[in-house]
Amino acid sequence: MANVVVIGTQWGDEGKGKIVDWLSERADVVVRFQGGHNAGHTLVIDGVTYKLNLLPSGVVREGKVSIIGNGVVVDPWALADEIEGMRAQGIAISPENLSIAENAPLILPLHRALDQAREAALGKARIGTTGRGIGPAYEDKVARRAIRVGDLAEPQVLAEKVDRLLLHHNALLRGLGLPEVDRDGLIQALEEITPRILPFAGAIWKQLDEARRAGKRILFEGAQGTMLDIDHGTYPFVTSSNSVAGMAAVGSGQGPGAVDYVLGIVKAYTTRVGGGPFPTELHDDVGKGLGERGREFGTVTGRARRCGWFDAVLVRQAVKVNGIDGIALTKADVLDGMDELKVCTGYRIDGESFDHLPASSVQQAKVEPVYEVMEGWSETTRGARSWADLPATAVKYIRRIEEIIGAPVAMLSTSPEREDTILVHDPFAD
């Protein structure tokens, strides 16, 4: 049985939640492998909206196993609240269908405070984080001082680990002129949250290995997008983890051979939340219209997303970096009724042509997009469930995208509803 990785190819918000939910019907196990509760997935199922941050999208389907991998940073309080929120919507969540890696690092209140203080201190130069402590938690992981999920089971050494953590953080807080963390209060808070989180903890690398050997289909669910990857994104305006396909194996304790098919999620135009370069951003009524029709507001923050024309240069780069086998194209219906469309096919920087986005932030700031103009369509694509339902000019637009980015369309999403999807190739069939 094939195992599939779902990856965002732009700056996140490509519609991964709906695609992962659609694919999860064919999967046995759904795995989150990086990021934290800064990610947001909105699922619309039978008219009911579910907003997920940390929980894998598979939790809304009965009979599926959901896993939070070791590559994720876990805010135990946010996770506990999210579990209760899903239960209130009638979704059953228990250790039978949800597992958390015992070696996943925890996000603590001090991480949130530090994240927000840093952003405030940066002023106009701020990165645009969600302020949820993701970056500082990853820093502690790399510095080998993190408190991990499994540590909650060892209260006799938890105090020692907290002391080691605060040796760093209280010195940092003093330097920022902020109040120091109360040691005993933090330990008490961890002890109180433990019963709500620890029952879900386990060796997920072993659980996944057993699932693979049993022939189970595994869906690896990425968060954010390729251009927010800590190595391959628009640094420093990126997230704090690797959001590319290679992280699926690392962030879940599996070898590279665990991945059979990489599906890239591609929005039919481009959006971005927060600061950083955006070559095709539109500051006119066209960009405003895309945002309004596409309801471009962040699931996590509620911030309006910046909108622009489709950037084929970025997506082509993502196809290569991730080893993408096929794409799921989303939100083409937002382009309905537009007389003219533009696709960025190249860049110019100081008069020189580029077929990729350079790593230099100085060069990124100078990028001028080179556009190809295409005819739009007046008919609606919303709700289409076959190619025959699509306007000819919409099909032409899609085929041109395939050609430029170097990857075929495997799926086409025509609305937020689960069943409004045209399947060209089932990724699980490989």
Side-chain angles (χ1 to χ4, degrees):
M1 296 291 184
N3 298 323
V4 177
V5 179
V6 173
I7 291 293
T9 60
Q10 294 152 310
W11 280 292
D13 308 311
E14 300 95 348
K16 292 183 295 296
K18 181 235 172 124
I19 299 299
V20 169
D21 172 65
W22 196 93
L23 287 170
S24 67
E25 184 178 16
R26 292 157 173 76
D28 300 296
V29 183
V30 182
V31 185
R32 271 286 307 273
F33 58 84
Q34 51 80 215
H37 64 311
N38 57 337
H41 291 330
T42 300
L43 309 179
V44 181
I45 303 170
D46 298 328
V48 180
T49 299
Y50 300 95
K51 293 190 176 183
L52 305 175
N53 298 131
L54 193 55
L55 290 171
S57 298
V59 298
V60 300
R61 283 192 179 273
E62 188 176 353
K64 309 297 180 181
V65 174
S66 292
I67 288 178
I68 297 175
N70 57 274
V72 178
V73 283
V74 178
D75 183 321
W77 296 276
L79 177 58
D81 289 345
E82 190 172 344
I83 289 172
E84 291 306 313
M86 287 294 103
R87 286 172 174 165
Q89 288 191 273
I91 303 298
I93 300 178
S94 72
E96 296 297 316
N97 66 346
L98 175 66
S99 296
I100 306 171
E102 59 190 0
N103 53 337
L106 295 180
I107 299 175
L108 305 175
L110 59 88
H111 294 130
R112 293 195 298 272
L114 179 59
D115 198 357
Q116 293 167 14
R118 284 176 173 172
E119 282 288 274
L122 286 172
K124 292 183 179 180
R126 62 185 179 273
I127 293 173
T129 76
T130 59
R132 298 197 169 194
I134 309 299
Y138 273 117
E139 290 175 32
D140 282 345
K141 172 184 177 177
V142 174
R144 295 165 292 186
R145 56 175 171 260
I147 307 296
R148 306 199 295 181
V149 172
D151 294 333
L152 299 176
E154 301 172 338
Q156 67 277 13
V157 297
L158 185 60
E160 296 177 11
K161 294 183 177 181
V162 167
D163 287 339
R164 185 165 64 247
L165 180 71
L166 295 186
L167 181 66
H168 168 82
H169 277 279
N170 278 338
L172 188 59
L173 290 169
R174 285 194 298 272
L176 290 170
L178 297 172
E180 295 185 24
V181 175
D182 176 52
R183 170 190 183 272
D184 294 339
L186 176 57
I187 293 173
Q188 181 180 348
L190 288 169
E191 290 174 344
E192 290 174 353
I193 197 64
T194 293
R196 300 176 66 186
I197 299 297
L198 197 57
F200 297 99
I204 64 98
W205 63 269
K206 185 174 183 293
Q207 184 178 350
L208 285 172
D209 181 68
E210 291 169 351
R212 288 178 57 207
R213 292 179 184 277
K216 303 291 186 181
R217 288 176 168 177
I218 303 173
L219 184 62
F220 297 92
E221 175 185 3
Q224 287 90 34
T226 299
M227 291 303 148
L228 291 175
D229 183 274
I230 188 69
D231 289 310
H232 301 286
T234 49
Y235 191 91
F237 298 96
V238 293
T239 193
S240 301
S241 62
N242 288 110
S243 53
V244 293
M247 187 62 185
V250 177
S252 62
Q254 302 299 289
V259 176
D260 300 299
Y261 190 98
V262 180
L263 180 69
I265 313 301
V266 180
K267 189 182 286 186
Y269 50 102
T270 311
T271 62
R272 175 164 201 171
V273 172
F278 186 167
T280 64
E281 183 174 9
L282 295 169
H283 300 281
D284 55 14
D285 289 342
V286 175
K288 182 180 178 182
L290 289 173
E292 292 174 348
R293 292 193 301 276
R295 298 181 181 179
E296 296 295 351
F297 297 93
T299 300
V300 173
T301 63
R303 291 180 292 181
R305 296 175 185 138
R306 301 154 63 190
C307 298
W309 293 120
F310 183 80
D311 192 333
V313 179
L314 284 185
V315 176
R316 183 172 60 226
Q317 193 164 324
V319 166
K320 297 179 184 300
V321 170
N322 289 291
I324 287 172
D325 297 294
I327 67 167
L329 188 66
T330 68
K331 303 190 90 167
D333 57 294
V334 174
L335 303 179
D336 291 353
M338 299 184 71
D339 296 329
E340 181 181 274
L341 303 173
K342 293 183 180 180
V343 175
C344 176
T345 59
Y347 296 147
R348 291 192 70 80
I349 303 174
D350 293 331
E352 183 181 353
S353 296
F354 281 76
D355 62 357
H356 68 284
L357 185 67
S360 165
S361 59
V362 173
Q363 288 184 303
Q364 288 175 1
K366 296 179 179 180
V367 166
E368 298 176 15
V370 176
Y371 287 117
E372 178 177 317
V373 180
M374 299 188 66
E375 181 184 358
W377 55 89
S378 57
E379 308 94 323
T380 183
T381 62
R382 189 176 180 85
R385 297 187 181 183
S386 73
W387 285 104
D389 296 333
L390 298 173
T393 44
V395 174
K396 184 178 180 181
Y397 181 79
I398 294 166
R399 294 305 186 201
R400 182 57 178 147
I401 285 176
E402 289 180 313
E403 182 181 5
I404 302 172
I405 68 173
V409 170
M411 301 172 65
L412 180 66
S413 171
T414 58
S415 92
E417 291 292 339
R418 177 188 286 169
E419 299 306 322
D420 289 342
T421 306
I422 300 172
L423 179 64
V424 180
H425 174 77
D426 186 350
F428 281 119
D430 284 24

